[in-house]
Amino acid sequence: MRSQWECLLENLGEWQGSFTRLSPQGELLEDTSTMVSLEGLNNNQTIRQIIRRFLSSQEVEEKVLEYSSLGRNILFFDNGAFSQGSIQLAPFSEFGAELGLIDGSRRLRLVEMFDKSGQLERLTLIREKLAGAMTPERSHLTPVDLLGEWRGEAVTIYPDWRSLDTYSTKLQLHLDNDGRLVQNLTFGDRIISSTGRIDGSIIEFDRNSQLVQVLLLPDGASCTCPLKVKVGQAFFLEVGWLLRPDRRQRLIRSYNNKGEWVALTLVKEFKVNN
């Protein structure tokens, strides 16, 4: 695997799109046009990042950052996919993370934020494309899009810099007689089965007394996270992206039962049957 800095460089360019703020139930709260530019300076030894939010036809909010190293709270994959965020869940503190995926000239990012009591508070969906790109946006994700058997490969990297792990995955999704979504996930030598209740664009799973919500979003995106996080219960934050009807990526940021960030996993999967 390349260095973390080299992986970051996959994000260079001028990314045009929007920041869409959503409620925990997926209700649209605000949609703001944006331009995020990442430019390499000093032979790509420094990155200049400019974030412009177009609040109105006359008002533009601009933020400029320059950096030549990466913090402990962020990790990148070879293709530029990344996640940054809290490295520790702590009482009475806000908690959250950003998860970003790349597919050619398109980028999709999701920010999941929890309040000081650990309740899911807000989401921000960021849909972007490189300046001049004509790649269309995907449709709003539906439960039917996910049905079938998905095979893939997962790569897990770690914030403590141990060697990465790779393993095959199999995800089987179908509806039972009551219209609930049944999920069987196999990765490595582990198998996890769960059943979720579908309510429009929300799928809710009860996993070991932890309510986990899958929110189906525009552009083929999905957001998976607990409705409440707390120390003493391991959990994960996930963004999914349906790139084509038979191709999907998922990015998973995992925390242990002490609330410590322990791993980041990128899954690339394809549908083998419906």
Side-chain angles (χ1 to χ4, degrees):
M1 187 167 175
R2 297 181 297 167
S3 73
Q4 286 291 293
W5 191 261
E6 289 173 317
C7 296
L8 160 66
L9 298 180
E10 294 293 326
N11 288 268
L12 293 183
E14 183 177 299
W15 298 91
Q16 300 173 344
S18 63
F19 285 27
T20 305
R21 287 205 311 117
L22 304 166
S23 74
Q25 296 76 40
E27 300 158 333
L28 175 64
L29 301 177
E30 182 184 42
D31 191 52
T32 305
S33 295
T34 56
M35 190 282 291
V36 177
S37 170
L38 288 97
E39 178 187 4
L41 306 176
N42 306 322
N43 198 28
N44 288 340
Q45 298 304 301
T46 300
I47 297 294
R48 175 181 291 153
Q49 183 173 346
I50 302 173
I51 304 167
R52 294 192 180 98
R53 291 164 48 91
F54 301 96
L55 306 179
S56 70
S57 57
Q58 282 85 33
E59 187 179 1
V60 180
E61 181 182 273
E62 182 174 288
K63 184 177 183 180
V64 180
L65 304 170
E66 285 194 10
Y67 44 92
S68 52
S69 62
L70 296 171
R72 293 178 53 238
N73 68 336
I74 188 168
L75 283 175
F76 286 84
F77 289 90
D78 277 347
N79 70 346
F82 72 94
S83 178
Q84 63 179 334
S86 303
I87 60 174
Q88 175 72 57
L89 174 62
F92 315 114
S93 299
E94 281 198 339
F95 171 87
E98 174 185 355
L99 302 109
L101 293 168
I102 292 185
D103 179 48
S105 61
R106 292 290 316 282
R107 240 183 14 163
L108 183 132
R109 298 185 283 142
L110 180 72
V111 181
E112 305 177 23
M113 293 300 301
F114 297 78
D115 65 19
K116 293 180 181 180
S117 69
Q119 289 286 148
L120 180 62
E121 182 179 35
R122 63 186 185 276
L123 304 166
T124 303
L125 178 66
I126 304 166
R127 292 161 285 173
E128 300 170 307
K129 62 181 180 180
L130 287 171
M134 302 302 290
T135 312
E137 190 170 301
R138 282 86 181 179
S139 302
H140 196 292
L141 193 65
T142 70
V144 173
D145 293 328
L146 301 176
L147 299 181
E149 181 176 320
W150 299 82
R151 299 285 182 97
E153 182 177 86
V155 178
T156 297
I157 54 180
Y158 302 93
D160 62 6
W161 303 114
R162 79 183 88 158
S163 298
L164 59 80
D165 287 320
T166 61
Y167 44 92
S168 61
T169 63
K170 182 171 72 171
L171 176 62
Q172 296 169 305
L173 294 158
H174 70 271
L175 299 177
D176 67 10
N177 293 333
D178 296 319
R180 295 174 301 185
L181 184 68
V182 180
Q183 172 178 279
N184 293 299
L185 173 63
T186 304
F187 58 101
D189 56 358
R190 295 184 61 190
I191 300 175
I192 298 176
S193 298
S194 53
T195 301
R197 183 179 64 86
I198 301 174
D199 181 9
S201 292
I202 297 174
I203 308 171
E204 197 169 87
F205 294 88
D206 189 347
R207 293 177 176 164
N208 301 320
S209 74
Q210 182 186 61
L211 286 177
V212 175
Q213 175 181 276
V214 179
L215 193 58
L216 308 181
L217 298 169
D219 200 15
S222 61
C223 166
T224 303
C225 63
L227 293 176
K228 184 178 177 67
V229 292
K230 61 182 179 180
V231 175
Q233 195 167 40
F235 62 92
F236 65 90
L237 311 178
E238 176 185 308
V239 63
W241 197 12
L242 188 69
L243 306 174
R244 286 171 286 285
D246 63 347
R247 292 287 185 275
R248 192 168 178 237
Q249 289 186 15
R250 293 185 289 125
L251 187 62
I252 305 149
R253 188 178 177 104
S254 301
Y255 290 80
N256 64 15
N257 59 8
K258 297 178 182 178
E260 301 165 335
W261 176 36
V262 292
L264 184 65
T265 301
L266 176 63
V267 183
K268 295 181 179 180
E269 53 197 0
F270 59 95
K271 186 181 287 191
V272 295
N273 63 60
N274 294 314

